Amino acid sequence: MTAIRLTVNGEGVAADVPPRMHLADLLREQLRLTGTHLGCEQGVCGSCTVLLDGVPVRSCIIQAVACDGLEIRSIEGLDDDPITDELRDAFRREHGLQCGFCTAGMLIAAREIILRVPDADQQRIRHELSGNLCRCTGYVGIINAIHSVIERRRGKGVPVERIRSSVKFEKRREEMSARPSSKDATPASTQPVSASRTAPGASAVPRETESAGIGAAAREGWTQFVENFVIQKPPREVWKMLSDFRRVASCLPGAELTEHNDRNIKGRMNVKLGPIRAAFTGSATVELDPATMTGRIRGAGSDSSSGSRTKANAIYKIAPEESVSVSRVVLSVEYNLQGPLAQFSRSGLAQDFGRRLIAEFATNLNASFGSAGSGESHAAELNAGGILWATVKHRLLALLRRITGRQV
């Protein structure tokens, strides 16, 4: 985590952020400024546009750490801005919005056009606005709205206010581009908490796991979390158990193994969320290193009903605890989710969900050592709603504890 300080909508903000967190995620997830919308998440649609030192930028492709010491203004910070007020009235008058998802980014981009190109005609406005996409309006109302504000301001003789690039941000970007590559970057998370219900007092990731690649920074566009849990058996017994793919699948709620050999597995994950049921089918390759008791899994899957697709990589390593009869499993998961469920994957709630799922797996794994090991699944489908509710409840209780200063 990296500590940063910045000014957001006129107020000083201090935050601890992962090195690869985007500015949009910081605004939405930590600061709860949800007026900044995420659309394409590739810097194309413009829905996430904010002002960085007065300059419009795509917050979904700018790292939060690059904004340390700078000034951010989101759509919430333009409530008293006279140009934005004129634009809001014009958008309503000219019917420049329908669903409203793109509107926040449109207003910020339109404000910049008015300041930078105060004599723009409709053709120029079309060209300048080409970086902001809208699915509903056809753009005619939006262009008419911006042009009407330009005409009114010109008629009133309003002085031109030119926008210049952020010198501080350009310098910061140069400094960051000179830093080591991602393979040498600081891990996004090096202080994981225990995912085991049987051993809540977990320690940080052991140093010997670093050589396995656990804790390495996630790739751009991928989400990562690192967890560890305790199994009440010696490392060699745990390694043997985790090398048995059917027994592993039997401990993971909703998982079903359909085919496997020594290196390849095929199966599905059955998920229930209220009345909705989904089945992700996919395959993965597994690399096992008995000498270091390290396993690497690379897989991909899709759900035909929602059209969502996912790729995931996982690395796990078994490390001995102080007692030779106890083992600690350290697990690093990196995934990329595409399709309708992609927005959910960006949320901190999604990572909490993953951690609680690992906690369920750890509990079942511990319990399996006391059973005959039939390989039958503990759950025919993953009750995502139940885990989500438990996650939200945990967050609410933590918030109440911070507010009241006492246990709830």
Side-chain angles (χ1 to χ4, degrees):
M1 305 294 279
T2 303
I4 63 172
R5 291 184 177 275
L6 58 162
T7 302
V8 179
N9 296 335
E11 297 183 4
V13 172
D16 292 326
V17 298
R20 292 185 176 274
M21 172 178 274
H22 293 144
L23 176 59
D25 292 330
L26 172 65
L27 294 174
R28 291 180 57 84
E29 300 298 333
Q30 292 196 21
L31 304 183
R32 301 303 180 190
L33 297 172
T34 54
T36 300
H37 294 163
L38 285 167
C40 68
E41 303 182 32
Q42 299 177 40
V44 175
C45 74
S47 295
C48 68
T49 303
V50 299
L51 296 176
L52 176 63
D53 276 4
V55 181
V57 297
R58 304 290 203 246
S59 60
C60 76
I61 56 173
I62 290 181
Q63 293 171 314
V65 292
C67 302
D68 187 24
L70 304 184
E71 180 180 353
I72 312 298
R73 190 169 294 273
S74 67
I75 191 64
E76 291 91 343
L78 294 173
D79 285 347
D80 299 324
D81 179 70
I83 300 177
T84 309
D85 284 344
E86 289 185 59
L87 283 167
R88 288 192 182 97
D89 291 340
F91 268 58
R92 286 191 290 266
R93 183 178 63 252
E94 301 292 341
H95 305 287
L97 68 161
Q98 288 189 25
C99 80
F101 191 86
C102 72
T103 304
M106 285 284 186
L107 289 173
I108 294 176
R111 178 182 182 275
E112 189 263 354
I113 293 172
I114 291 170
L115 292 174
R116 183 170 51 82
V117 196
D119 56 350
D121 58 15
Q122 290 204 1
Q123 188 61 34
R124 180 64 183 273
I125 293 171
R126 283 183 176 273
H127 173 75
E128 295 291 340
L129 204 63
S130 60
N132 289 71
L133 306 182
C134 175
R135 297 182 62 180
C136 305
T137 67
Y139 302 100
V140 174
I142 295 173
I143 293 165
N144 288 341
I146 298 172
H147 190 250
S148 69
V149 173
I150 288 177
E151 289 295 310
R152 287 192 180 193
R153 291 175 65 81
R154 183 186 299 162
K156 294 179 181 179
V158 178
V160 175
E161 178 187 346
R162 297 291 182 181
I163 289 181
R164 294 178 297 176
S165 65
S166 171
V167 176
K168 285 194 293 184
F169 176 67
E170 293 301 328
K171 183 178 180 181
R172 180 70 41 72
R173 185 157 57 180
E174 290 177 5
E175 291 173 351
M176 295 194 67
S177 65
R179 291 180 181 178
S181 62
S182 59
K183 66 180 181 180
D184 300 319
T186 302
S189 174
T190 56
Q191 295 294 328
V193 296
S194 172
S196 173
R197 295 179 180 176
T198 59
S203 61
V205 175
R207 286 186 179 273
E208 56 267 28
T209 64
E210 295 177 2
S211 61
I214 294 177
R219 288 174 286 175
E220 190 72 26
W222 290 59
T223 302
Q224 181 195 60
F225 59 90
V226 182
E227 285 294 302
N228 66 99
F229 53 87
V230 168
I231 299 296
Q232 304 297 327
K233 288 291 181 179
R236 285 299 170 187
E237 289 190 37
V238 177
W239 172 255
K240 182 178 179 181
M241 167 66 170
L242 292 180
S243 302
D244 186 338
F245 300 148
R246 289 202 174 274
R247 291 195 67 184
V248 170
S250 73
C251 295
L252 185 62
E256 180 183 352
L257 194 63
T258 58
E259 184 181 336
H260 77 91
N261 55 33
D262 291 342
R263 285 183 51 85
N264 303 285
I265 56 177
K266 293 182 179 181
R268 67 175 60 92
M269 175 69 78
N270 302 298
V271 182
K272 175 186 177 185
L273 182 58
I276 301 174
R277 284 176 166 81
F280 278 85
T281 58
S283 60
T285 59
V286 183
E287 298 176 10
L288 301 177
D289 185 353
T292 60
M293 288 189 287
T294 301
R296 289 178 172 82
I297 305 171
R298 298 179 178 86
S302 62
D303 172 40
S304 58
S305 60
S306 69
S308 296
R309 306 175 305 282
T310 184
K311 295 180 180 178
N313 298 322
I315 302 175
Y316 66 87
K317 182 176 177 62
I318 302 170
E321 286 286 89
E322 294 181 1
S323 172
V324 294
S325 61
V326 178
S327 305
R328 183 173 298 278
V329 180
V330 185
L331 174 66
S332 174
V333 178
E334 178 192 41
Y335 67 91
N336 176 272
L337 188 58
Q338 299 177 342
L341 296 178
Q343 287 289 341
F344 175 73
S345 73
R346 296 186 65 84
S347 167
L349 187 63
Q351 297 188 39
D352 287 349
F353 176 89
R355 291 186 176 99
R356 287 189 172 269
L357 180 60
I358 292 174
E360 295 275 357
F361 172 73
T363 300
N364 293 338
L365 193 61
N366 266 303
S368 72
F369 280 99
S371 65
S374 62
E376 296 180 359
S377 176
H378 282 76
E381 59 186 2
L382 170 61
N383 186 354
I387 296 181
L388 276 174
W389 167 242
T391 303
V392 171
K393 182 180 178 182
H394 175 77
R395 282 191 167 194
L396 290 174
L397 290 176
L399 177 62
L400 288 173
R401 281 195 295 270
R402 287 197 299 270
I403 294 174
T404 63
R406 61 184 182 181
Q407 293 291 327
V408 178

